[in-house]
Amino acid sequence: MQSPHLFGYFLALMAAVSWAVAPVLYRRGVDRISYSGLGALRCNGYIISAALFLFLTMGPSAFVPLPAVTMVKIFACSVLWLVVGDFFYFSSLHKLGVSISVPVTSSYPLMVVPAAWIFLGEPAKPMVLVAAALIVAGLVLLSPHKQGREGKRQVLGGLAASFLTMSCWTFGMITNKVLMQTIPVPQLEWWRSVSITLGSWVLFYLLERCRGAGSIPRGPMVEMALAGALGLTVGNLFMTYAFGLAPVDALVCIVSIRPFLAALFATLFLGEKLTPRLAGGIVLVFIGVMTITF
């Protein structure tokens, strides 16, 4: 096996780890501040890490604004993808917990692949039907059986938030692939971070008037910033550069271990219980996502 492939697999593994650690930190943060507040505060880590990466790779001249039409496209697509989408994601994490929310939202390839057929002209894959059956079976197992009307309402709200999350992420990934064809990755990541930071703080102000931001202790504030850097900059960059070194299908399989890692981290650091039923659901979702690549 060629060494570039091995390095690509390593980058994909590091992306999976980054994306698995981030929701654990998000889940801790959402207990201290609202969903919109968490979305805004995490941008401290996102915009700093994106700026540092652009400076190191392309230099100070790369910070010059892009054409106005391009900037509007980046802003609109980024806000729907990672401001609105992650707002629903935080809601899902809060209502369902990391062990359930991450596997459920990780089934987003089931929406991305058909969208790629329709909007990008990529070839259709019949195995998606098999993948759909596996993922749906996994989601059934992942659905928690809480007693009482309030518990059921919380579960339904969490699943609805997960569906809205996947819809926004699907839109973002399709438009991101289009934008990557004309904009260098470091610049795209920088202007996306600017767009998401502005959009997140505007949303926080409109919904909450920025209440509670000043009362967050330094430790949780650092955790939120670290979660933003890991989930939005580091993980994305690991995966972007992995695509240039190894086959996409193999990389997707490696990244698909994210739900297992997230469940493990949630068990270790949040005290969530990983029951055999939940483990079975994660396995089915994992197999279903991998089947899409065949």
Side-chain angles (χ1 to χ4, degrees):
M1 187 178 298
Q2 299 178 353
S3 57
H5 284 192
L6 285 176
F7 189 57
Y9 298 152
F10 172 75
L11 292 178
L13 177 61
M14 295 308 297
V17 172
S18 300
W19 288 336
V21 172
V24 175
L25 297 175
Y26 287 147
R27 181 64 184 83
R28 287 166 58 90
V30 84
D31 287 334
R32 298 179 171 93
I33 197 168
S34 65
Y35 309 145
S36 58
L38 175 57
L41 292 175
R42 68 169 178 164
C43 288
N44 294 335
Y46 183 23
I47 197 168
I48 291 173
S49 55
L52 181 62
F53 181 72
L54 178 60
F55 179 80
L56 293 176
T57 54
M58 298 184 67
S61 61
F63 288 90
V64 175
L66 302 172
V69 174
T70 302
M71 297 288 284
V72 170
K73 289 180 180 178
I74 294 174
F75 181 86
C77 295
S78 299
V79 167
L80 184 55
W81 180 12
L82 292 171
V83 176
V84 178
D86 281 13
F87 175 84
F88 291 122
Y89 180 46
F90 301 146
S91 176
S92 173
L93 286 172
H94 192 212
K95 291 179 170 62
L96 300 178
V98 174
S99 299
I100 297 174
S101 178
V102 172
V104 171
T105 53
S106 291
S107 63
Y108 66 85
L110 194 58
M111 301 176 69
V112 173
V113 172
W117 303 345
I118 298 171
F119 298 108
L120 300 179
E122 295 187 358
K125 297 181 180 180
M127 287 299 289
V128 169
L129 296 177
V130 177
L134 291 169
I135 290 174
V136 169
L139 297 182
V140 170
L141 290 179
L142 287 169
S143 299
H145 295 275
K146 293 190 175 182
Q147 301 297 324
R149 180 178 301 178
E150 188 63 29
K152 292 181 180 179
R153 183 180 304 171
Q154 180 173 336
V155 169
L156 290 175
L159 293 176
S162 297
F163 174 77
L164 292 171
T165 298
M166 291 186 290
S167 299
C168 293
W169 285 358
T170 297
F171 172 83
M173 290 177 187
I174 296 298
T175 55
N176 185 56
K177 185 167 184 177
V178 174
L179 291 171
M180 285 177 60
Q181 295 173 0
T182 57
I183 306 171
V185 171
Q187 279 188 308
L188 178 58
E189 198 64 42
W190 160 245
W191 289 114
R192 181 182 294 125
S193 72
V194 172
S195 302
I196 292 170
T197 299
L198 291 174
S200 296
W201 279 101
V202 168
L203 181 66
F204 187 24
Y205 178 79
L206 292 176
L207 296 180
E208 306 285 341
R209 295 294 187 272
C210 296
R211 285 193 296 267
S215 62
I216 303 294
R218 181 178 299 179
M221 188 76 74
V222 172
E223 285 187 0
M224 292 181 204
L226 179 60
L230 288 174
L232 295 172
T233 302
V234 178
N236 288 346
L237 290 175
F238 276 141
M239 199 60 187
T240 297
Y241 287 107
F243 281 141
L245 298 172
V248 173
D249 53 357
L251 297 177
V252 171
C253 290
I254 293 172
V255 172
S256 294
I257 69 172
R258 172 183 172 233
F260 294 102
L261 296 175
L264 174 62
F265 295 151
T267 301
L268 294 175
F269 302 111
L270 299 177
E272 295 186 7
K273 294 182 179 179
L274 183 61
T275 65
R277 178 188 180 91
L278 293 182
I282 293 173
V283 169
L284 287 175
V285 170
F286 168 69
I287 295 175
V289 171
M290 286 198 302
T291 302
I292 295 177
T293 66
F294 297 153

